[in-house]
Amino acid sequence: MARRLPASPGRVYAVKIDEGEDVHSVLSSLAEAEDLGFAMVTGIGGMAEATVAFYSPAEATYYTVDVKPPEGRVIEVAAMTGNIVRTSQGYSVHIHVALGVSPGKSIAGHLVKGVVKPFMEVFVVELVSGQGTPGTSVFDHREGFKASYKRLE
């Protein structure tokens, strides 16, 4: 189902996430500090470690995999895309990634955790409604969405 948004690009943020910082924490803090409504996120960079998940609708469960690079290297974030939505519980940061782990080995999925190394370059683009107020119900199906997380064996 598509919904036409009475929106145009609003504020745009170029965010450098520093080594050791958590991607979700930085983006949540930005959303809170800037009182964002709905925003699109895209970025590239590197990570020291990540946890990626794959969703099973039948079980309402995300299966997680921990990702670590070979000694002396970083995980290359070839692509990161997602959004930030305000819910009644606060901000929901939903990110998907394509990660290069080593030559010829990559993994993609839902980013549960990402610790940056050496840095990430991220753009956050807020969408503002035609009335000039943040669009907060763009993905209202996220309100109250519940899922469990289990480590993939």
Side-chain angles (χ1 to χ4, degrees), residues 137-152:
S137 63
V138 175
F139 292 129
D140 52 8
H141 61 273
R142 297 252 290 280
E143 185 71 41
F145 177 78
K146 300 279 189 246
S148 63
Y149 288 82
K150 293 182 182 173
R151 186 161 315 286
L152 189 62

Side-chain angles (χ1 to χ4, degrees), residues 7 21 23 31 51 53 64 73 76 105 143 147:
E21 292 185 307
V23 172
T51 301
T64 64
R73 297 187 186 162
E76 289 290 338
K105 183 178 179 196
E143 185 71 41

Side-chain angles (χ1 to χ4, degrees), residues 28 37 44 65 86 99:
S28 291
I44 56 172
V65 175
R86 186 181 353 204
L99 305 175

Side-chain angles (χ1 to χ4, degrees), residues 6-8 10-11 35 126-135:
S8 61
R11 298 174 288 177
D35 194 30
E126 181 184 43
L127 297 179
V128 178
S129 74
Q131 291 76 34
T133 59

Side-chain angles (χ1 to χ4, degrees), residues 73-86:
R73 297 187 186 162
V74 299
I75 301 165
E76 289 290 338
V77 181
M80 180 178 90
T81 188
N83 56 49
I84 301 171
V85 176
R86 186 181 353 204

